[in-house]
Amino acid sequence: MRHTPIEGQQIQTLKAFYALMAQTRELRLAMVKDLYAGATADAADIGSLKNALGSLEGIPGSGGRFQLKLDAHREIEVELDYEINELKKDILYLERGEAALVTHLEEIHTDFRKHVDAGVAMLEGKKFNAFITDRDGTINNYCGRYRSSVQSIYNAIWLTRFAERCCENPIIITSAPLKDPGIVDVSVNPENKIVYAASKGREFIDLTGTRRSFKVAPEKQQILDQLNEQLKALVAQPEYEKYSLIGSGLQLKFGQTTIARQDISKSIPAEESRAFTEKLTGIAAELDPEKKNFRIEDTGLDVEIILTIEGDDGLKDFDKADSVNYLASELGLEMSRGPHLVCGDTGSDAPMIDATMAHSKETHAIFVTNEEELRDRVMGACPNAVIVPSPDMLVAILNTLAR
Ligand SMILES: [Mg+2]
């Protein structure tokens, strides 16, 4: 079936760039739905993806860095590796087929086949009760800007195939929000095949398509709502709009708000970024003078304002072990029954292994990392673990298992 076309266009602003990426999301979602149902791709749709690719490649720049207007006064330089490479992979997949894409992956990654074989050998023939995975950097290649991290077509087909054929309860747990913008806006998996658990699992869409969320004390929710209103008003001012466009942008998560103060390319002058951070902490302090409700983390790129929840040792914030346990009870996963598969790419994903192992020792893990410390942490927590250096290898493992 042929879908709404994407025309070639001249992209000059960051806003126009996001609008184009949103078009590719709509098209990819519609195409995946057809392809997953057994249709072949329409040449006109592939042409639309090529137009999108050409439009991205036509943005002025050099050496893999592109210039976009951030506001009337300022240009920023962005890398578009993720957006361009994933479009190229999709076009290759659609025009020349899965084997050609796999050959391409073998060419761009050292020891691709070796890593895929190791993962397949560990997991072959298993049907998982819970498949619990992080998204960014794990099953999806890493993209510096969340809003343009649109899932590629081949990725959605491979992941959904695995979810449907090899898992009873496939769940993506992400720290990003659910939508507007959130995981729903950048995903193109067919509906109701995978649980999207956003904000570290505290808000999720289950396999019937119902949105559900964690209960938070109303007075705590109210203070976070007030904070969010103030931040939305802040980035509506022309002077501050850029912070909603760069890096993480403004993300209103369940129980947590993230706002960018800088991006990887350091588009904002250091002094201006520092002053903005002070403004943010000032707003939070005014709403929570006794620091009972918010904990603030400054990653250098983002300011995270986190609502604290009651834990065993007083106030603590929600981690991904809490996510697993919350979802296990909400979704009735009966996790004492394995096997399970847990996938992640950072230290903050490791608690998902601990929580899952506490339910059943029949737990397997695949982590995407090149860091020795995380590798040791994963291998120490889970005897049945495989480490791979790239998300491409992980999704290829899952697709191989599903075939
Ligand atoms: Mg990640």
Side-chain angles (χ1 to χ4, degrees):
M1 203 201 307
R2 184 180 179 161
H3 301 284
T4 310
I6 299 175
E7 309 293 344
Q9 47 203 283
Q10 276 204 334
I11 304 291
Q12 295 182 325
T13 65
L14 195 55
K15 266 184 171 172
F17 160 72
Y18 282 128
L20 173 65
M21 291 310 296
Q23 280 186 291
T24 69
R25 189 264 169 177
E26 290 316 307
L27 177 62
R28 282 161 151 163
L29 180 70
M31 289 178 74
V32 167
K33 193 174 171 212
D34 295 347
L35 294 166
Y36 199 73
T40 45
D42 188 298
D45 289 336
I46 300 174
S48 282
L49 294 175
K50 288 181 176 172
N51 287 342
L53 175 62
S55 303
L56 293 180
E57 289 178 329
I59 298 172
S62 63
R65 299 178 70 79
F66 299 85
Q67 270 98 40
L68 288 167
K69 290 193 176 72
L70 186 54
D71 53 29
H73 315 288
R74 187 166 294 135
E75 279 200 339
I76 73 163
E77 258 194 1
V78 294
E79 284 167 23
L80 300 175
D81 293 5
Y82 174 85
E83 293 83 348
I84 288 174
N85 290 338
E86 293 302 305
L87 274 169
K88 284 182 178 169
K89 287 184 200 163
D90 269 353
I91 292 165
L92 177 64
Y93 176 72
L94 295 166
E95 286 192 326
R96 298 189 34 222
E98 188 165 300
L101 176 60
V102 171
T103 302
H104 171 67
L105 297 178
E106 286 171 351
E107 282 163 9
I108 62 174
H109 297 294
T110 311
D111 292 336
F112 182 84
R113 183 48 51 199
K114 188 187 96 185
H115 288 292
V116 171
D117 288 349
V120 170
M122 179 176 75
L123 302 176
E124 205 157 30
K126 296 191 188 305
K127 172 108 183 175
F128 300 98
N129 177 2
F131 164 45
I132 298 172
T133 183
D134 168 62
R135 177 184 189 260
D136 302 290
T138 301
I139 49 167
N140 211 85
N141 281 304
Y142 188 75
C143 175
R145 291 155 302 276
Y146 195 76
R147 276 173 69 185
S148 57
S149 69
V150 177
Q151 186 182 14
S152 41
I153 289 172
Y154 74 91
N155 184 285
I157 303 271
W158 289 5
L159 197 60
T160 306
R161 232 180 234 166
F162 176 72
E164 197 160 46
R165 296 183 189 167
C166 305
C167 313
E168 287 173 55
N169 297 287
I171 303 166
I172 300 174
I173 299 181
T174 177
S175 54
L178 197 56
K179 47 188 187 177
D180 305 319
I183 183 170
V184 169
D185 309 281
V186 292
S187 296
V188 303
N189 301 299
E191 284 186 340
N192 305 343
K193 302 282 190 200
I194 301 174
V195 174
Y196 293 142
S199 306
K200 290 188 191 161
R202 283 182 289 188
E203 49 178 345
F204 62 95
I205 298 178
D206 66 21
L207 293 177
T208 69
T210 309
R211 180 189 179 276
R212 292 152 70 178
S213 67
F214 191 78
K215 299 279 173 291
V216 167
E219 59 277 13
K220 286 211 172 222
Q221 186 59 52
Q222 201 180 9
I223 180 169
L224 185 61
D225 290 344
Q226 285 176 335
L227 174 84
N228 289 343
E229 285 311 312
Q230 293 196 23
L231 295 182
K232 278 195 273 183
L234 186 69
V235 298
Q237 297 173 29
E239 190 186 349
Y240 298 115
E241 188 191 24
K242 53 183 169 273
Y243 295 103
S244 69
L245 299 173
I246 61 162
S248 302
L250 173 61
Q251 299 187 8
L252 310 182
K253 306 174 192 182
F254 194 86
Q256 179 179 337
T257 294
T258 298
I259 182 160
R261 73 177 190 82
Q262 188 57 278
D263 61 12
I264 296 175
S265 323
K266 306 246 182 297
S267 303
I268 311 289
E271 179 53 30
E272 200 179 331
S273 171
R274 195 195 53 76
F276 182 66
T277 307
E278 266 176 25
K279 192 161 188 73
L280 298 174
T281 50
I283 291 171
E286 222 165 82
L287 289 166
D288 182 32
E290 292 171 53
K291 299 194 166 106
K292 285 195 311 198
N293 298 297
F294 295 142
R295 196 168 57 75
I296 298 177
E297 270 179 28
D298 180 0
T299 69
L301 298 181
D302 299 335
V303 177
E304 311 254 22
I305 305 168
I306 301 156
L307 205 61
T308 49
I309 62 161
E310 305 288 336
D312 294 340
D313 44 1
L315 293 175
K316 74 185 277 279
D317 61 305
F318 210 79
D319 66 23
K320 282 191 164 180
D322 299 315
S323 322
V324 169
N325 291 325
Y326 170 63
L327 292 165
S329 93
E330 281 297 300
L331 294 166
L333 299 183
E334 295 171 6
M335 283 182 67
S336 58
R337 179 175 57 81
H340 306 299
L341 175 62
V342 177
C343 301
D345 78 307
T346 61
S348 66
D349 297 322
M352 299 196 299
I353 301 179
D354 305 333
T356 307
M357 287 286 283
H359 288 283
S360 168
K361 297 282 176 260
E362 219 187 323
T363 294
H364 301 263
I366 303 181
F367 265 58
V368 180
T369 183
N370 292 300
E371 283 170 26
E372 210 161 305
E373 204 184 322
L374 181 57
R375 160 193 285 268
D376 292 348
R377 165 94 171 78
V378 169
M379 301 304 275
C382 182
N384 299 308
V386 161
I387 306 291
V388 297
S390 149
D392 284 343
M393 296 172 188
L394 173 52
V395 292
I397 290 168
L398 302 182
N399 183 49
T400 307
L401 291 167
R403 272 192 325 216

